[in-house]
PDB file of all heavy atoms in Angstrom:
ATOM      1  N   LEU A  62      66.299  85.620 105.024  1.00  0.00           N
ATOM      2  CA  LEU A  62      67.109  86.003 106.299  1.00  0.00           C
ATOM      3  C   LEU A  62      67.000  87.386 106.559  1.00  0.00           C
ATOM      4  O   LEU A  62      66.599  88.243 105.620  1.00  0.00           O
ATOM      5  CB  LEU A  62      68.577  85.565 106.126  1.00  0.00           C
ATOM      6  CG  LEU A  62      68.796  84.069 105.830  1.00  0.00           C
ATOM      7  CD1 LEU A  62      70.350  83.835 105.555  1.00  0.00           C
ATOM      8  CD2 LEU A  62      68.416  83.259 107.081  1.00  0.00           C
ATOM      9  N   GLU A  63      67.387  87.821 107.774  1.00  0.00           N
ATOM     10  CA  GLU A  63      67.552  89.169 108.092  1.00  0.00           C
ATOM     11  C   GLU A  63      68.852  89.736 108.299  1.00  0.00           C
ATOM     12  O   GLU A  63      69.738  88.991 108.730  1.00  0.00           O
ATOM     13  CB  GLU A  63      66.703  89.428 109.424  1.00  0.00           C
ATOM     14  CG  GLU A  63      65.262  89.155 109.311  1.00  0.00           C
ATOM     15  CD  GLU A  63      64.449  89.405 110.607  1.00  0.00           C
ATOM     16  OE1 GLU A  63      64.942  90.099 111.527  1.00  0.00           O
ATOM     17  OE2 GLU A  63      63.313  88.885 110.746  1.00  0.00           O
ATOM     18  N   ILE A  64      69.027  90.909 107.998  1.00  0.00           N
ATOM     19  CA  ILE A  64      70.408  91.574 108.166  1.00  0.00           C
ATOM     20  C   ILE A  64      70.676  91.903 109.628  1.00  0.00           C
ATOM     21  O   ILE A  64      69.755  92.203 110.464  1.00  0.00           O
ATOM     22  CB  ILE A  64      70.525  92.820 107.325  1.00  0.00           C
ATOM     23  CG1 ILE A  64      72.057  93.179 107.269  1.00  0.00           C
ATOM     24  CG2 ILE A  64      69.780  93.931 107.899  1.00  0.00           C
ATOM     25  CD1 ILE A  64      72.355  94.061 106.055  1.00  0.00           C
ATOM     26  N   SER A  65      71.852  91.723 110.084  1.00  0.00           N
ATOM     27  CA  SER A  65      72.370  92.000 111.419  1.00  0.00           C
ATOM     28  C   SER A  65      72.959  93.362 111.572  1.00  0.00           C
ATOM     29  O   SER A  65      73.485  93.840 110.588  1.00  0.00           O
ATOM     30  CB  SER A  65      73.438  90.928 111.850  1.00  0.00           C
ATOM     31  OG  SER A  65      73.992  91.341 113.067  1.00  0.00           O
ATOM     32  N   ASP A  66      72.679  93.971 112.647  1.00  0.00           N
ATOM     33  CA  ASP A  66      73.202  95.344 112.903  1.00  0.00           C
ATOM     34  C   ASP A  66      74.644  95.178 113.569  1.00  0.00           C
ATOM     35  O   ASP A  66      75.203  96.208 114.070  1.00  0.00           O
ATOM     36  CB  ASP A  66      72.350  96.076 113.774  1.00  0.00           C
ATOM     37  CG  ASP A  66      71.000  96.574 112.985  1.00  0.00           C
ATOM     38  OD1 ASP A  66      71.178  96.647 111.781  1.00  0.00           O
ATOM     39  OD2 ASP A  66      70.031  96.696 113.692  1.00  0.00           O
ATOM     40  N   ALA A  67      75.198  93.973 113.766  1.00  0.00           N
ATOM     41  CA  ALA A  67      76.454  93.720 114.357  1.00  0.00           C
ATOM     42  C   ALA A  67      77.538  94.499 113.590  1.00  0.00           C
ATOM     43  O   ALA A  67      77.493  94.667 112.335  1.00  0.00           O
ATOM     44  CB  ALA A  67      76.830  92.307 114.424  1.00  0.00           C
ATOM     45  N   PRO A  68      78.577  94.987 114.238  1.00  0.00           N
ATOM     46  CA  PRO A  68      79.671  95.524 113.647  1.00  0.00           C
ATOM     47  C   PRO A  68      80.366  94.573 112.652  1.00  0.00           C
ATOM     48  O   PRO A  68      80.204  93.444 112.821  1.00  0.00           O
ATOM     49  CB  PRO A  68      80.659  96.104 114.743  1.00  0.00           C
ATOM     50  CG  PRO A  68      80.169  95.325 115.968  1.00  0.00           C
ATOM     51  CD  PRO A  68      78.788  94.879 115.764  1.00  0.00           C
ATOM     52  N   ILE A  69      81.091  95.205 111.708  1.00  0.00           N
ATOM     53  CA  ILE A  69      81.834  94.412 110.755  1.00  0.00           C
ATOM     54  C   ILE A  69      82.843  93.439 111.501  1.00  0.00           C
ATOM     55  O   ILE A  69      83.502  93.914 112.369  1.00  0.00           O
ATOM     56  CB  ILE A  69      82.583  95.184 109.769  1.00  0.00           C
ATOM     57  CG1 ILE A  69      81.604  95.953 108.814  1.00  0.00           C
ATOM     58  CG2 ILE A  69      83.483  94.320 108.823  1.00  0.00           C
ATOM     59  CD1 ILE A  69      82.146  97.029 108.002  1.00  0.00           C
ATOM     60  N   GLN A  70      82.735  92.190 111.233  1.00  0.00           N
ATOM     61  CA  GLN A  70      83.676  91.223 111.906  1.00  0.00           C
ATOM     62  C   GLN A  70      83.837  90.041 111.049  1.00  0.00           C
ATOM     63  O   GLN A  70      83.353  89.841 109.975  1.00  0.00           O
ATOM     64  CB  GLN A  70      82.952  90.815 113.204  1.00  0.00           C
ATOM     65  CG  GLN A  70      81.656  90.196 113.009  1.00  0.00           C
ATOM     66  CD  GLN A  70      80.832  89.884 114.268  1.00  0.00           C
ATOM     67  OE1 GLN A  70      81.400  90.099 115.438  1.00  0.00           O
ATOM     68  NE2 GLN A  70      79.676  89.402 114.231  1.00  0.00           N
ATOM     69  N   PHE A  71      84.719  89.183 111.489  1.00  0.00           N
ATOM     70  CA  PHE A  71      85.071  87.876 110.817  1.00  0.00           C
ATOM     71  C   PHE A  71      83.752  87.038 110.710  1.00  0.00           C
ATOM     72  O   PHE A  71      83.000  86.970 111.557  1.00  0.00           O
ATOM     73  CB  PHE A  71      86.062  87.088 111.583  1.00  0.00           C
ATOM     74  CG  PHE A  71      86.369  85.682 110.962  1.00  0.00           C
ATOM     75  CD1 PHE A  71      86.819  85.675 109.662  1.00  0.00           C
ATOM     76  CD2 PHE A  71      86.046  84.667 111.560  1.00  0.00           C
ATOM     77  CE1 PHE A  71      87.161  84.417 109.102  1.00  0.00           C
ATOM     78  CE2 PHE A  71      86.323  83.365 110.988  1.00  0.00           C
ATOM     79  CZ  PHE A  71      86.890  83.328 109.720  1.00  0.00           C
ATOM     80  N   LYS A  72      83.464  86.587 109.574  1.00  0.00           N
ATOM     81  CA  LYS A  72      82.235  86.049 109.139  1.00  0.00           C
ATOM     82  C   LYS A  72      82.180  84.402 109.383  1.00  0.00           C
ATOM     83  O   LYS A  72      81.182  83.766 109.128  1.00  0.00           O
ATOM     84  CB  LYS A  72      81.748  86.436 107.832  1.00  0.00           C
ATOM     85  CG  LYS A  72      81.529  87.845 107.685  1.00  0.00           C
ATOM     86  CD  LYS A  72      81.314  88.211 106.293  1.00  0.00           C
ATOM     87  CE  LYS A  72      81.175  89.834 106.106  1.00  0.00           C
ATOM     88  NZ  LYS A  72      81.175  90.304 104.773  1.00  0.00           N
ATOM     89  N   GLY A  73      83.320  83.918 109.761  1.00  0.00           N
ATOM     90  CA  GLY A  73      83.400  82.499 109.931  1.00  0.00           C
ATOM     91  C   GLY A  73      83.726  81.685 108.709  1.00  0.00           C
ATOM     92  O   GLY A  73      83.632  80.462 108.641  1.00  0.00           O
ATOM     93  N   VAL A  74      83.974  82.363 107.551  1.00  0.00           N
ATOM     94  CA  VAL A  74      84.336  81.772 106.345  1.00  0.00           C
ATOM     95  C   VAL A  74      85.622  82.422 105.775  1.00  0.00           C
ATOM     96  O   VAL A  74      85.679  83.623 105.788  1.00  0.00           O
ATOM     97  CB  VAL A  74      83.142  81.861 105.197  1.00  0.00           C
ATOM     98  CG1 VAL A  74      83.567  81.439 103.929  1.00  0.00           C
ATOM     99  CG2 VAL A  74      81.911  81.271 105.774  1.00  0.00           C
ATOM    100  N   THR A  75      86.494  81.564 105.287  1.00  0.00           N
ATOM    101  CA  THR A  75      87.716  82.111 104.726  1.00  0.00           C
ATOM    102  C   THR A  75      87.859  81.406 103.363  1.00  0.00           C
ATOM    103  O   THR A  75      87.732  80.309 103.198  1.00  0.00           O
ATOM    104  CB  THR A  75      88.987  81.763 105.413  1.00  0.00           C
ATOM    105  OG1 THR A  75      88.939  82.305 106.713  1.00  0.00           O
ATOM    106  CG2 THR A  75      90.251  82.154 104.723  1.00  0.00           C
ATOM    107  N   LEU A  76      87.954  82.313 102.288  1.00  0.00           N
ATOM    108  CA  LEU A  76      88.173  81.887 100.922  1.00  0.00           C
ATOM    109  C   LEU A  76      89.675  81.590 100.736  1.00  0.00           C
ATOM    110  O   LEU A  76      90.428  82.445 101.274  1.00  0.00           O
ATOM    111  CB  LEU A  76      87.570  82.803  99.948  1.00  0.00           C
ATOM    112  CG  LEU A  76      86.116  83.148 100.244  1.00  0.00           C
ATOM    113  CD1 LEU A  76      85.687  84.398  99.403  1.00  0.00           C
ATOM    114  CD2 LEU A  76      85.224  81.994  99.775  1.00  0.00           C
ATOM    115  N   SER A  77      90.190  80.723  99.862  1.00  0.00           N
ATOM    116  CA  SER A  77      91.532  80.526  99.726  1.00  0.00           C
ATOM    117  C   SER A  77      91.916  80.612  98.279  1.00  0.00           C
ATOM    118  O   SER A  77      91.317  80.057  97.432  1.00  0.00           O
ATOM    119  CB  SER A  77      91.961  79.119 100.298  1.00  0.00           C
ATOM    120  OG  SER A  77      91.763  79.050 101.633  1.00  0.00           O
ATOM    121  N   ILE A  78      93.210  81.219  98.035  1.00  0.00           N
ATOM    122  CA  ILE A  78      93.878  81.261  96.754  1.00  0.00           C
ATOM    123  C   ILE A  78      95.059  80.294  97.065  1.00  0.00           C
ATOM    124  O   ILE A  78      95.960  80.718  97.694  1.00  0.00           O
ATOM    125  CB  ILE A  78      94.253  82.533  96.369  1.00  0.00           C
ATOM    126  CG1 ILE A  78      93.006  83.505  96.229  1.00  0.00           C
ATOM    127  CG2 ILE A  78      95.008  82.581  95.021  1.00  0.00           C
ATOM    128  CD1 ILE A  78      93.428  84.961  96.149  1.00  0.00           C
ATOM    129  N   ASN A  79      95.006  79.163  96.498  1.00  0.00           N
ATOM    130  CA  ASN A  79      96.333  78.268  96.558  1.00  0.00           C
ATOM    131  C   ASN A  79      97.110  78.414  95.386  1.00  0.00           C
ATOM    132  O   ASN A  79      96.572  78.473  94.238  1.00  0.00           O
ATOM    133  CB  ASN A  79      95.774  76.786  96.783  1.00  0.00           C
ATOM    134  CG  ASN A  79      95.177  76.592  98.208  1.00  0.00           C
ATOM    135  OD1 ASN A  79      94.039  76.999  98.403  1.00  0.00           O
ATOM    136  ND2 ASN A  79      95.905  75.961  99.071  1.00  0.00           N
ATOM    137  N   VAL A  80      98.425  78.514  95.604  1.00  0.00           N
ATOM    138  CA  VAL A  80      99.335  78.855  94.643  1.00  0.00           C
ATOM    139  C   VAL A  80     100.337  77.701  94.285  1.00  0.00           C
ATOM    140  O   VAL A  80     100.521  76.867  95.145  1.00  0.00           O
ATOM    141  CB  VAL A  80     100.010  80.171  94.856  1.00  0.00           C
ATOM    142  CG1 VAL A  80      98.973  81.366  94.848  1.00  0.00           C
ATOM    143  CG2 VAL A  80     100.872  80.116  96.174  1.00  0.00           C
ATOM    144  N   ASP A  81     100.995  77.791  93.093  1.00  0.00           N
ATOM    145  CA  ASP A  81     101.846  76.801  92.675  1.00  0.00           C
ATOM    146  C   ASP A  81     103.361  76.956  93.338  1.00  0.00           C
ATOM    147  O   ASP A  81     103.943  75.881  93.567  1.00  0.00           O
ATOM    148  CB  ASP A  81     102.095  76.856  91.246  1.00  0.00           C
ATOM    149  CG  ASP A  81     100.925  76.557  90.477  1.00  0.00           C
ATOM    150  OD1 ASP A  81     100.168  75.548  90.729  1.00  0.00           O
ATOM    151  OD2 ASP A  81     100.423  77.259  89.595  1.00  0.00           O
ATOM    152  N   GLU A  82     103.721  78.066  93.603  1.00  0.00           N
ATOM    153  CA  GLU A  82     105.081  78.371  94.084  1.00  0.00           C
ATOM    154  C   GLU A  82     105.095  79.082  95.447  1.00  0.00           C
ATOM    155  O   GLU A  82     104.270  79.935  95.662  1.00  0.00           O
ATOM    156  CB  GLU A  82     105.890  79.176  93.089  1.00  0.00           C
ATOM    157  CG  GLU A  82     105.956  78.655  91.747  1.00  0.00           C
ATOM    158  CD  GLU A  82     106.880  77.569  91.548  1.00  0.00           C
ATOM    159  OE1 GLU A  82     107.890  77.513  92.257  1.00  0.00           O
ATOM    160  OE2 GLU A  82     106.695  76.626  90.663  1.00  0.00           O
ATOM    161  N   ILE A  83     106.078  78.769  96.237  1.00  0.00           N
ATOM    162  CA  ILE A  83     106.050  79.381  97.634  1.00  0.00           C
ATOM    163  C   ILE A  83     106.232  80.864  97.612  1.00  0.00           C
ATOM    164  O   ILE A  83     105.653  81.645  98.318  1.00  0.00           O
ATOM    165  CB  ILE A  83     107.173  78.705  98.443  1.00  0.00           C
ATOM    166  CG1 ILE A  83     107.076  79.124  99.963  1.00  0.00           C
ATOM    167  CG2 ILE A  83     108.525  78.928  97.848  1.00  0.00           C
ATOM    168  CD1 ILE A  83     107.973  78.310 100.870  1.00  0.00           C
ATOM    169  N   LYS A  84     106.941  81.303  96.546  1.00  0.00           N
ATOM    170  CA  LYS A  84     107.218  82.746  96.354  1.00  0.00           C
ATOM    171  C   LYS A  84     105.875  83.634  96.024  1.00  0.00           C
ATOM    172  O   LYS A  84     105.834  84.738  96.321  1.00  0.00           O
ATOM    173  CB  LYS A  84     108.301  83.090  95.420  1.00  0.00           C
ATOM    174  CG  LYS A  84     107.914  82.555  93.938  1.00  0.00           C
ATOM    175  CD  LYS A  84     109.081  82.892  92.994  1.00  0.00           C
ATOM    176  CE  LYS A  84     108.803  82.396  91.647  1.00  0.00           C
ATOM    177  NZ  LYS A  84     107.626  82.710  91.031  1.00  0.00           N
ATOM    178  N   ASP A  85     104.969  82.839  95.446  1.00  0.00           N
ATOM    179  CA  ASP A  85     103.730  83.477  95.058  1.00  0.00           C
ATOM    180  C   ASP A  85     102.933  84.005  96.214  1.00  0.00           C
ATOM    181  O   ASP A  85     102.235  85.032  96.084  1.00  0.00           O
ATOM    182  CB  ASP A  85     102.871  82.517  94.211  1.00  0.00           C
ATOM    183  CG  ASP A  85     103.495  82.144  92.885  1.00  0.00           C
ATOM    184  OD1 ASP A  85     104.348  82.947  92.420  1.00  0.00           O
ATOM    185  OD2 ASP A  85     103.139  81.119  92.368  1.00  0.00           O
ATOM    186  N   VAL A  86     103.027  83.408  97.411  1.00  0.00           N
ATOM    187  CA  VAL A  86     102.363  83.898  98.488  1.00  0.00           C
ATOM    188  C   VAL A  86     102.656  85.361  98.866  1.00  0.00           C
ATOM    189  O   VAL A  86     101.861  86.203  99.006  1.00  0.00           O
ATOM    190  CB  VAL A  86     102.607  82.981  99.863  1.00  0.00           C
ATOM    191  CG1 VAL A  86     101.900  83.656 101.015  1.00  0.00           C
ATOM    192  CG2 VAL A  86     102.047  81.564  99.603  1.00  0.00           C
TER     193      VAL A  86
END
Side-chain angles (χ1 to χ4, degrees):
L62 299 171
E63 293 181 19
I64 194 159
S65 169
D66 290 331
I69 296 173
Q70 60 186 354
F71 178 63
K72 298 172 184 173
V74 175
T75 296
L76 306 167
S77 294
I78 300 169
N79 289 72
V80 296
D81 296 311
E82 304 284 333
I83 192 169
K84 65 181 173 53
D85 293 341
V86 174

